[in-house]
Amino acid sequence: MLTGSKTTFKVRQMLPDIKERMLSQSGVNARSRDVFGLRCLPGECVLQRAVMVRKKLTAREGRGWLSGTLFCTHFRVAFVPQDSPKPDDNADPVLLGDHDVALASIDKVVVVGPNRTKLVTPNSSLKFTPEELVLYCRDMRVICFLFDRLTPDAQVIEITYTIAKTYQPLKPGSVLSFQNAALGSVEMKQFLSNRRRDTHMNWFESTSDWEQELERCGASGWRVSSVNDRFEMSTSLPRFIVVPQKVLDTELKKSFSHFNEGRIPRWCWRHPRGSDLLRTASFQNNIYHEKDDIRNLEMILFGCQSSLCVVVELGEELPSPADIQLAHSRLRALCLGDISTSVSVPDDKWLSTLESTHWLDYTRSCLRKASEVACLLRGGHLTVALQEAEDRDVSCVVSSLVQVMCDPHCRTQRGFQGLVQKEWVMAGHRFYSRINYHRDNDKEEAPVFLLFLDCVWQLWSQYPSRFQLTEDFLLALHDSVQLPLFSSFLANCQRERCKRSQNHGQSYTPVNGWRDGPHPDSSSDPCDPPLPPVWDWALQYSKHRQDRFTQPVPPSPPLQPLLNGNLNTNPDTHKLTDTIPGSVFLFSRGTFSCPANLLPWRSTSSGIYKKSHRRAPSSEGVPSLERLLKAWALTEIPQGLTSNSGSQGPLDPFEPLLPVLMGPCMGLWKECYLRGALHAQAFSHPISANHPHPVERLAAEVQALKDKLSQASAGPDVKPPIKTAERRLTDANLNQNTNNGTFLFPASRPHGTCVSRVTAPPTSTNHQHASSRGRPPTTAAPSRSSHRDNSSKHTFLFGHSSSTEARPDQRYHPAPNTAKLPKSNGSVAS
Amino acid sequence: MEKSGSIDSLGSKRSSSRQPSVDSLSSTSTSRSDRSAQAKPPSAMSSDSMSTSAEFSPELRVKPKTAVKVLRDSEKEEPQLLPNETVQDMAQDITYFCPFTGAVRGTVMVTNYRLFFKSTDREPAFVLDLPLGVVSRVEKIGGASSRGDVSYGLVCKDMRNLRFAHKQMEDTLRKSIFEVLIKFAFPVSNGLQIFAFEYGQVFPENGWKVYDAISEYKRQGIPNESWRITKINDHYELCDTYPSTLAVPVNIPDEELRRVAAFRAKGRIPVLSWIHPESQATVTRCSQPMVGVNGKRSKEDEKYLQAIMDANAQSHKLFIFDVRPCVNAAANKKNGGGYESEDAYQNAELVFLDIHNIHVMRESLRKLKDVVYPNIEDSHWLSNLESTHWLEHIKLILAGALRIADKVESGKTSVVVHCSDGWDRTAQLTSLAMLMLDSHYRTIRGFEVLLEKEWLSFGHRFQLRIGHGDKNHTDADRSPVFIQFVDCVWQLTRQFPAAFEFNEYFLVTILDHLYSCLFGTFLCNSEQQRLKEEIPKRTVSLWSYINSQLEDFTNPLYVNYSNHVLFPVVSLRHLELWVGYYIRWNPRMRPQEPVHQRYKELLAKRAELQKRVDELQREVTNRSASSSERAGSPTRSITPVQTFV
């Protein structure tokens, strides 16, 4: 395709020049705008640019090519499409534009020349002029730029070198310089410090946040304890933990030593039927149990339920962090298909290779465990304690999956963000070590959080209409993990986070923040820039992309569960038969048992327990517990389905979403892992495979209609619309609106032109539409329609392209319902 | 299926009432009956039973208010017989061994069209309603066992096996009901008539009128200055497996066609399948040239291909796609066949597409059945699937069709497609390429035309490949060529969800009636045979049924982009197994959320809002007309709200 010059450059000779240029450029004062339309962050400067570059668009972006200018700064590789609107200098700085990629996300830089590809490292030299520049990103995107023959060869070479030199892969310390490049300027610091937090989500940082959650769940009998306020009880637990009301702080303090890392059983969530979900680390066995301790330990573990506690052991069946890491790196290698090494799994081995990564097995086992826990909780009035040795990895996955399955609130964007705050950020998942930003701790690296996102995606793809959040949101979160910019991920626990933010005044810190003086041994440099939380989406995503994070219409109500022989789908669960108060069962590998040493203080070795509690472990409760999990045999229809439920009263919205986990039903998250998809060619049909779920698109359309409706109904009554800008919708304007046929698109037209068009003939209708289609739609158009204007003009479901083959008159007609068939005895002759 | 709730391959079907479970091909009302009824407003139920052809949904007649009532109703329930369907035998105390739910006891009824099993020991009743046409083989398993049971296995063409047992007959003279079944399952072998000839249902639409060769060629702009329509095969004398109407290059007279026919296997000369409306590049199809080991040549054939190339002014090249693997094509020389040598055919480029023959495909599907029915091994699912090579074959076929479409669309070059006889792989490739190239074929009626034209009229040997009513299940001529094609179409619909007017249920219905022998559409091997058997006169067309209730088969997401060519991604990474067809019998596969229902809800909501917007708008117009001094022109109907991008 390219007819660019094939001249071979003596690159070595050029090297000093580049160095010089870089030096001189970085000395240049910061300009907020580059002449070619890049809006720089404060303090950011362009190191190199190349003009007339084309960017390959992915399926999600509408496919095809987009031409524009490519930039490399200290912070990112930016791409500004040719005719993009001029950036607004007064708007808040956005870290990344729609086509940008942060240097820290780049994993590998590869150039493609005539008949060859080459991996470019800071030290490599080029012996040919690249025709294509491919950036392999750590978030599994593959970004591809094509150099036109109009791109000056020197620019091509230089920008390639500049990128290769600046992105600094895998080096400890590069993270800090990256952060400084992005956020280090005085202006940025100022800007971030003044930034408001999203008040619509629960941050779980203060006592009141937790109390709000307790109230939301209707969890009585629990209280928020600040016994760990100074992280003295447990360094990895948050400052506030939720414990049974009846346990006093003084009693509580004695319990910490009985658990690994002091991570005592804490309340996470209450099922509306009254069961509580707890998380705990494993017991410290070699500790002498005093009588008082035992009483407290039992109270903490049983929480508010006196009768029954099920300890769910997570370690055995679920993948270890090392397993997850191995699976993910295999998956990554498989999906990215690295052109520089030409090592790509042949198509005919794709399926078995995918299987051998075990990634899908791991998602399945997490989902299965979470489904089982969800079914247990549904039984009502028991405590389920998730137990993992350290309680910081798969227990985060399972506890949050359970809540996504059971709690519709957690399937909204804000609810989900709160959930991640609660079960991951505050609970002390070691994001910092698991993501391994500094590349200095490979042993600890494990994308546990990404496994969780994949599990949520599986749920979403089986129940798309029960989620308010969308796949776009999951993708955004997935990609943000790789950016070492967010306080949410740049620490292993709240304590570290607090320490860090201590150095930066009040930016992003809770009102009643950490009060200790800064530790002298603090790992973070005092001049670190303040870090924003990941939930400040406006820093990364433009408004129209954020709009796609949620489905516009409310999720659909639950349906009667379908008995398909999978996990217990019976809505009418058996009530647990009375069990002896204080029974504890271990749930592991799908079965319940009550091993004698389940609770160390009850085991025979510590005699004290026996004296005061004469109960022996009993297996009487096992059958009733098993019934909670039992898959309904396909032969019998439970009473609940045949006779009473369903038509009477709405279904319980807390019925868990139980995924089908059979082999053919576990999907690969292609939208994420195959985004780079070098093997997927660009093709021309406007509606291609990889767009938002059709349900989402329909939903968007319904919402757009609703919006119009509200505008329309506001019209006749001459109610002042909410937006002040539309106040001008007076009677005269109204008429004219109607006559122009743009009634439905009131905002798509400048108001100034209204008056002059009062007498416009009705034929102008189409013109109006046509002209309003060209530019980005304002309020009337649905949010998710907004792909780049010049690339995919017709990606919206029922929309039509503005290109030549647009046929506004052809559109979807609902199937005529006149075509009814007569009964078999119908006498219609043919 | 097996179990409460009918097959529900799609969940798409609006159903229905809480009926007893039905395990039936013909359950037009497939659905998760258990709960969709409750999720649905009552109005849907009533309209349902009206709009659905009753023959296909005996259970639809039940419109119970409560489940309890259903059960009672269903106890009396017998299948509603089709016109001219007669009960042949009935038996009590039969055990059906369901691989998913275990043994069920019940009664069996055999008619000249179906097997109907209904449980007596389950609530709600378990029902199996199976057209006898899907039965491929009936075998008596073992002798009388110690318990005195006789067991029968039914191997079905639609990816399942059924097993029944009953007590040893006391009256040894009496035939087992399964012996009776054999007679009606294989009518052809037993000197009986296929049920399609007796089925006398009348539909408002006449599907036999869907396809008319002349008007289809006319739609494509044929005849034109380069192509003409010849009547040379009017009495099937030139080629008895070709249709009577053929489109050939203008400058080749009929006598020469005869000589070309002599050089092509079975007389299947290159004829036009499709012509590009702009570039005039064409897709032509034929059989292999009779080259033989000695490398025979034919002046006429060479001239003929030259004429095909000349008919397209845009390109001075012609691509010949031999869809076989090169080795197979060479091996055919032994039998007098072979392939065009590039020496003999100037300006022609020969490309092999490496698609395997019918035997390989049959074996691959057999393996697939082993992997998916009845049990699926979760931990090795993907490698097991890979070992069947089914998706790989699908990929090769799609890749071949893509190359053809690309040559015609982007290269503006005419192509000739052939395999050995030109009725299996050739039909797959030309029809898929046409589906990619021409959006007309992506409508429901257009797709029917495509099948009528490329498959039926050009002599895909449905009778032989499917073995309608024939007991010879080991026949090597049987092969799932057509299923493979429909699978490819399904893959396209997955990649372009809004490009097709029909939905998944449409494709499943076609495949179901490929076997059911209820309609005449897929009977016989060629147009000539169909005419001789008076199929259009004596049987009902499947399209009559489908076109009479289009709303069931319409894809709600369809947008008609008329000039778009589809270029699918054919990498295995982007192909999927068609779970909704191959694994539909497994009840555990059924998803909890019927996405189709959500589509319909949203569409209904959309229509409702649309209506309100229109109403308000009218109101505003009226108001302004009365209030303002000048009403202006009446509002030009604002096209139903389209959310423009």
Coordinates of all heavy atoms in Angstrom, one line a residue, chain B residues 447-470:
Chain B
F447 N -32.8 -14.8 0.6 CA -32.0 -16.0 1.0 C -32.8 -17.3 0.5 O -32.1 -18.2 0.0 CB -31.9 -16.1 2.5 CG -31.0 -17.2 3.0 CD1 -29.7 -17.0 3.0 CD2 -31.5 -18.3 3.6 CE1 -28.8 -18.0 3.4 CE2 -30.7 -19.3 4.0 CZ -29.3 -19.2 4.0
E448 N -34.1 -17.2 0.5 CA -34.8 -18.3 -0.1 C -34.5 -18.4 -1.6 O -34.3 -19.6 -2.1 CB -36.3 -18.0 0.1 CG -36.8 -18.1 1.6 CD -38.1 -17.6 1.8 OE1 -38.8 -17.1 0.9 OE2 -38.6 -17.6 3.0
V449 N -34.4 -17.3 -2.3 CA -34.1 -17.3 -3.7 C -32.7 -17.9 -3.9 O -32.5 -18.8 -4.7 CB -34.1 -15.9 -4.3 CG1 -33.4 -15.9 -5.6 CG2 -35.6 -15.4 -4.4
L450 N -31.8 -17.5 -3.0 CA -30.4 -18.1 -3.1 C -30.4 -19.6 -3.0 O -29.7 -20.3 -3.7 CB -29.5 -17.4 -2.0 CG -28.1 -17.8 -2.0 CD1 -27.4 -17.1 -3.2 CD2 -27.4 -17.4 -0.7
L451 N -31.1 -20.1 -2.0 CA -31.2 -21.5 -1.9 C -31.8 -22.2 -3.1 O -31.3 -23.2 -3.6 CB -31.9 -21.9 -0.6 CG -31.3 -21.5 0.7 CD1 -32.1 -22.2 1.9 CD2 -29.9 -21.9 0.8
E452 N -32.9 -21.6 -3.5 CA -33.6 -22.2 -4.6 C -32.7 -22.2 -5.8 O -32.7 -23.2 -6.6 CB -34.9 -21.4 -4.9 CG -36.1 -21.6 -3.9 CD -36.8 -22.9 -4.2 OE1 -36.6 -23.6 -5.2 OE2 -37.6 -23.3 -3.3
K453 N -32.0 -21.2 -6.0 CA -31.2 -21.1 -7.2 C -29.9 -21.9 -7.1 O -29.7 -22.9 -7.8 CB -30.8 -19.6 -7.4 CG -29.9 -19.3 -8.6 CD -29.9 -17.7 -8.7 CE -28.7 -17.2 -9.5 NZ -27.9 -18.0 -10.3
E454 N -29.0 -21.5 -6.2 CA -27.7 -22.1 -6.1 C -27.7 -23.6 -5.7 O -26.8 -24.3 -6.0 CB -26.7 -21.3 -5.3 CG -26.3 -20.0 -5.9 CD -25.6 -20.2 -7.2 OE1 -24.6 -20.8 -7.3 OE2 -26.2 -19.6 -8.2
W455 N -28.7 -23.9 -4.8 CA -28.6 -25.2 -4.3 C -29.6 -26.2 -5.0 O -29.3 -27.2 -5.5 CB -28.9 -25.2 -2.8 CG -27.8 -24.7 -2.0 CD1 -27.5 -23.3 -1.8 CD2 -26.7 -25.4 -1.4 NE1 -26.4 -23.2 -1.1 CE2 -25.9 -24.5 -0.8 CE3 -26.5 -26.8 -1.3 CZ2 -24.7 -24.8 -0.1 CZ3 -25.3 -27.1 -0.6 CH2 -24.5 -26.2 0.0
L456 N -30.9 -25.7 -5.0 CA -31.9 -26.6 -5.5 C -31.9 -26.7 -7.1 O -31.8 -27.8 -7.6 CB -33.3 -26.2 -5.0 CG -33.4 -26.4 -3.5 CD1 -34.5 -25.5 -2.9 CD2 -33.7 -27.8 -3.2
S457 N -31.9 -25.5 -7.7 CA -32.0 -25.6 -9.2 C -30.7 -26.2 -9.8 O -30.7 -26.9 -10.8 CB -32.4 -24.3 -9.8 OG -31.2 -23.5 -9.9
F458 N -29.6 -25.9 -9.2 CA -28.3 -26.3 -9.7 C -27.9 -27.7 -9.2 O -26.8 -28.2 -9.4 CB -27.2 -25.4 -9.5 CG -27.2 -24.3 -10.5 CD1 -27.7 -23.0 -10.2 CD2 -26.6 -24.5 -11.8 CE1 -27.7 -22.0 -11.2 CE2 -26.6 -23.5 -12.7 CZ -27.2 -22.2 -12.4
G459 N -28.9 -28.4 -8.7 CA -28.8 -29.8 -8.5 C -27.9 -30.3 -7.3 O -27.1 -31.3 -7.5
H460 N -27.9 -29.6 -6.2 CA -27.3 -30.2 -5.0 C -28.2 -31.4 -4.7 O -29.4 -31.3 -4.6 CB -27.3 -29.2 -3.8 CG -26.8 -29.9 -2.6 ND1 -25.5 -30.3 -2.4 CD2 -27.4 -30.3 -1.4 CE1 -25.3 -30.9 -1.2 NE2 -26.5 -30.9 -0.6
R461 N -27.5 -32.5 -4.5 CA -28.3 -33.8 -4.4 C -28.8 -34.0 -3.0 O -28.3 -34.8 -2.2 CB -27.5 -34.9 -4.9 CG -26.9 -34.6 -6.3 CD -26.7 -35.8 -7.1 NE -25.5 -36.5 -6.7 CZ -25.2 -37.7 -7.2 NH1 -25.9 -38.2 -8.1 NH2 -24.1 -38.3 -6.8
F462 N -29.9 -33.2 -2.6 CA -30.4 -33.3 -1.3 C -30.9 -34.7 -0.9 O -30.6 -35.2 0.1 CB -31.6 -32.3 -1.1 CG -31.2 -30.9 -0.9 CD1 -31.2 -30.0 -1.9 CD2 -30.7 -30.5 0.4 CE1 -30.8 -28.7 -1.7 CE2 -30.3 -29.2 0.6 CZ -30.3 -28.3 -0.4
Q463 N -31.6 -35.4 -1.9 CA -32.1 -36.7 -1.6 C -30.9 -37.7 -1.2 O -31.0 -38.4 -0.2 CB -32.8 -37.2 -2.8 CG -33.3 -38.7 -2.7 CD -34.3 -38.9 -1.7 OE1 -35.3 -38.1 -1.6 NE2 -34.2 -39.9 -0.9
L464 N -29.9 -37.5 -1.9 CA -28.8 -38.4 -1.7 C -28.0 -38.0 -0.5 O -27.5 -38.9 0.3 CB -27.9 -38.4 -3.0 CG -27.2 -39.7 -3.4 CD1 -28.2 -40.8 -3.6 CD2 -26.4 -39.4 -4.6
R465 N -27.7 -36.8 -0.3 CA -26.9 -36.3 0.8 C -27.6 -36.5 2.1 O -27.0 -36.7 3.2 CB -26.5 -34.8 0.6 CG -25.7 -34.6 -0.6 CD -24.2 -35.0 -0.5 NE -23.5 -34.8 -1.7 CZ -23.1 -35.8 -2.5 NH1 -23.3 -37.0 -2.2 NH2 -22.4 -35.5 -3.6
I466 N -28.9 -36.3 2.1 CA -29.6 -36.5 3.4 C -30.2 -37.9 3.5 O -30.3 -38.4 4.6 CB -30.8 -35.4 3.4 CG1 -30.3 -34.0 3.2 CG2 -31.5 -35.5 4.8 CD1 -29.2 -33.5 4.1
G467 N -30.6 -38.5 2.4 CA -31.2 -39.8 2.5 C -32.6 -39.8 3.0 O -32.9 -40.6 3.9
H468 N -33.4 -38.9 2.4 CA -34.8 -38.8 2.9 C -35.5 -40.2 2.8 O -35.6 -40.8 1.8 CB -35.6 -37.9 2.0 CG -35.1 -36.5 2.1 ND1 -35.0 -35.8 3.3 CD2 -34.7 -35.6 1.1 CE1 -34.6 -34.5 3.0 NE2 -34.4 -34.4 1.7
G469 N -36.0 -40.6 3.9 CA -36.8 -41.9 4.0 C -36.1 -43.1 3.5 O -36.7 -44.1 3.2
D470 N -34.8 -43.0 3.6 CA -34.0 -44.2 3.1 C -33.3 -44.8 4.3 O -32.7 -44.2 5.1 CB -33.0 -43.7 2.1 CG -32.2 -44.8 1.4 OD1 -32.4 -46.0 1.8 OD2 -31.3 -44.5 0.6

